[in-house]
Amino acid sequence: MRILFLGDIFGRPGRKGIALKMTDLRKRLSLDLIVANGENASSGVGLSLKNAKELLGCGIDILTSGNHIWKFQNLYSYLNTCDKIVRPANVAEGAPGRGWTSFQIREGLSVAVVNLQGRTFMSACECPFRGADKILEEIPSEIKVILVDFHAEATSEKQCLSRYLDGRVSAVLGTHTHVQTNDARILENGCGYITDAGMCGPVDSCLGLAPGPVIKRFVTGLPQKWRVAGGPVELQGVVLDIDEDTGKTVSIDVWKTDPIIGC
């Protein structure tokens, strides 16, 4: 099974890049599943109902999210009814939506996609380690391929969760920092891992934002009005080959497009 996992989609430029490239991506890469983190797809912070439907309509199979998923309240009821979007599982009980979902590749073969949020340097949430244990008890035993989007700030927390889940999930894929890391690997018991899959957004930016106001904030310490950067866009992520019978990752490769003009 071959899966493309895309890092945080950022604002309109990221959405346009997805729309331009997604049409032939599945065929060109021989993909069985496309998963993307969409929590920054609307103006760089959050995911609106309109943009969620737009991204799913482009050919993304599952959207994961993170700490900004709650910005647009018009998404809440959709989270309860749509099984193609997941929010962090370890948030307060009773929050809209679901923390994991399954996607049928073909008859008799499904993939589980789990979303967890880190606690270090992040907004308050429940323990992602215990949260993962709870979810793994819920996932039917016949589902062997399990992906975890771990939306977290600290590299140590991401690495520790991957070690904690090695042998129990197919991959732990970090999101949130928007900087694609160079540490894609397969752990001892078959868990694919990368600290951060990167970002689908403007190349000439500070994590997707126009650099000017961000630099001014660092220099002056005063609040600034952020704006989404323009210019060429890159789509970044990882391509995984996973054994369907064992659920173990066979290969994981850092992936990105050439800069896309016109977004």
Side-chain angles (χ1 to χ4, degrees):
M1 177 189 304
R2 172 162 284 194
I3 297 171
L4 173 64
F5 180 86
L6 294 168
D8 300 48
I9 300 169
F10 197 91
R12 181 179 295 173
R15 300 197 313 271
K16 289 186 70 175
I18 291 287
L20 287 170
K21 290 295 182 180
M22 199 55 60
T23 51
D24 70 333
L25 208 53
R26 188 182 299 270
K27 184 176 180 180
R28 184 160 55 84
L29 296 178
S30 300
L31 299 171
D32 296 296
L33 181 69
I34 300 174
V35 181
N37 187 293
E39 75 131 18
N40 293 298
S42 301
S43 303
V45 181
L47 177 64
S48 70
L49 176 60
K50 176 184 176 182
N51 293 154
K53 291 182 176 180
E54 172 190 341
L55 290 170
L56 292 172
C58 283
I60 293 172
D61 297 309
I62 300 292
L63 283 169
T64 57
S65 60
N67 56 305
H68 292 310
I69 191 63
W70 312 114
K71 178 171 182 178
F72 292 91
Q73 293 187 19
N74 66 357
L75 186 69
Y76 288 11
S77 60
Y78 193 60
L79 289 175
N80 286 327
T81 58
C82 179
D83 61 0
K84 292 188 174 183
I85 304 178
V86 288
R87 46 80 171 157
N90 55 322
V91 295
E93 187 174 348
R98 68 203 75 212
W100 74 275
T101 192
S102 62
F103 183 88
Q104 187 177 66
I105 303 297
R106 60 177 183 270
E107 185 69 31
L109 179 62
S110 294
V111 176
V113 179
V114 180
N115 201 179
L116 293 166
Q117 182 177 315
R119 292 198 295 184
T120 306
F121 310 127
M122 297 281 284
S123 52
C125 60
E126 301 298 326
C127 175
F129 293 80
R130 293 188 179 93
D133 288 337
K134 181 180 178 181
I135 289 172
L136 292 180
E137 291 177 358
E138 298 174 3
I139 296 174
S141 59
E142 61 266 23
I143 297 181
K144 303 299 183 184
V145 180
I146 303 172
L147 301 182
V148 178
D149 175 345
F150 190 29
H151 197 76
E153 182 77 28
T155 55
S156 57
E157 191 176 17
K158 291 178 179 181
Q159 288 185 348
C160 285
L161 186 71
S162 72
R163 300 287 179 182
Y164 185 70
L165 295 179
D166 184 23
R168 296 194 284 162
V169 304
S170 304
V172 174
L173 307 167
T175 58
H176 180 64
T177 63
H178 298 196
V179 177
Q180 190 177 54
T181 55
N182 194 31
D183 62 342
R185 67 187 73 176
I186 301 173
L187 303 183
E188 182 179 357
N189 296 306
C191 177
Y193 173 75
I194 189 168
T195 297
D196 203 283
M199 177 184 72
C200 299
V203 177
D204 301 320
S205 69
C206 290
L207 309 185
L209 295 170
V214 182
I215 294 170
K216 192 170 182 180
R217 171 65 181 269
F218 278 118
V219 172
T220 66
L222 299 175
Q224 304 296 322
K225 184 176 181 179
W226 310 133
R227 65 178 187 274
V228 176
V233 163
E234 275 186 3
L235 308 184
Q236 300 176 346
V238 290
V239 175
L240 304 106
D241 288 305
I242 299 175
D243 187 297
E244 299 173 3
D245 296 321
T246 66
K248 295 181 184 296
T249 293
V250 176
S251 69
I252 176 170
D253 295 300
V254 173
W255 178 90
K256 66 179 180 179
T257 61
D258 293 328
I260 306 166
I261 310 299
C263 293

